[in-house]
Amino acid sequence: MAPGHVAYGLGAQYGLQITAETVMAWERGVALPGERELTALAGVLWCAPGELLAAASTLREHRQSRDIGVEDLARTLGMTAAAYQRIEDSGRWRGNERQAVALCQTLDMSAAQFLTATGRNEELAELLSKAVATRWQAYVKPVAKIVPLDRVLVQNVLEQLHTDYQALIVSTQAWNSAGRERTEAEIDAREFLVRVVEQFWRTAGI
């Protein structure tokens, strides 16, 4: 279908006054259709809205890819549509743990995708860095609060990360005390905190 045909279909079937130039801008990625326009575009092209989106990275994109309305999703989560809309607009999660799990299930998001979509990766990295370097037990609750995973799994993962990190530190100190050159183990120990989030998801099986 040429852009003009798509524009005509959007007007004839959905009453949207969209020009062929606008359709071309969507195709080139220099403009984005609104939610109503995306749904209509999918209808004209006989496909699901998610097929027209790149990999979803925000809550709005995840919701649109599943073709779920704000009201329906909010009802599933047990919050008002206005409250959920504020979450989407800000990109910051304000719900509780139960609602976070329900959100991931409804939108088929992994825990890692949830953290990215709600802008909490940096917060998680900070908590994990402290957990592996100090008492990991104190960070089970804070981590579980922002990550929609079973708390027992979070506890096991933090314990494993702490053990791995401390083993690297001990190895590094042993090499240094012997007056030897930096080893791969020492380099890994220094880089561990940089990779701690990825290690967290890997250990959790995500």
Side-chain angles (χ1 to χ4, degrees):
M1 296 176 68
H5 296 143
V6 175
Y8 175 79
L10 291 171
Q13 298 178 45
Y14 297 94
L16 297 176
Q17 300 304 310
I18 303 297
T19 65
E21 288 73 20
T22 298
V23 174
M24 292 173 64
W26 292 344
E27 291 179 346
R28 293 195 301 267
V30 298
L32 295 174
E35 187 168 345
R36 182 186 175 202
E37 294 166 338
L38 179 66
T39 300
L41 185 61
V44 170
L45 298 178
W46 290 73
C47 66
E51 296 179 64
L52 301 177
L53 296 172
S57 60
T58 66
L59 286 178
R60 180 174 286 107
E61 291 172 351
H62 279 286
R63 178 178 58 76
Q64 290 177 340
S65 69
R66 297 294 169 185
D67 196 19
I68 300 175
V70 170
E71 293 79 6
D72 291 336
L73 181 55
R75 190 180 306 111
T76 299
L77 301 181
M79 61 176 62
T80 66
Y84 178 77
Q85 188 64 64
R86 285 194 294 271
I87 291 175
E88 271 198 5
D89 293 341
S90 67
R92 302 293 295 179
W93 179 244
R94 295 291 184 269
N96 57 37
E97 294 178 44
R98 179 192 62 77
Q99 290 170 323
V101 171
L103 179 71
C104 289
Q105 292 176 341
T106 304
L107 300 183
D108 195 23
M109 288 193 303
S110 68
Q113 289 174 322
F114 172 80
L115 265 289
T116 297
T118 54
R120 307 186 82 172
N121 277 327
E122 290 185 6
E123 184 179 355
L124 175 64
E126 182 178 353
L127 290 173
L128 294 179
S129 297
K130 293 177 180 178
V132 299
T134 57
R135 290 183 64 256
W136 63 267
Q137 296 90 338
Y139 293 92
V140 173
K141 185 176 180 179
V143 170
K145 188 175 181 179
I146 67 172
V147 179
L149 294 174
D150 180 76
R151 188 162 298 196
V152 174
L153 175 59
V154 171
Q155 175 179 316
N156 293 339
V157 172
L158 290 186
E159 183 177 11
Q160 184 62 52
L161 286 178
H162 183 271
T163 299
D164 293 346
Y165 178 71
Q166 295 303 318
L168 286 172
I169 292 298
V170 170
S171 176
T172 297
Q173 291 174 341
W175 280 96
N176 286 341
S177 63
R180 300 181 182 180
E181 296 180 357
R182 286 200 317 162
T183 65
E184 183 177 351
E186 180 180 359
I187 296 173
D188 284 345
R190 295 190 178 195
E191 294 177 349
F192 186 85
L193 293 181
V194 177
R195 306 194 306 267
V196 72
V197 174
E198 289 78 6
Q199 183 71 17
F200 174 82
W201 296 126
R202 188 160 49 250
T203 306
I206 302 301

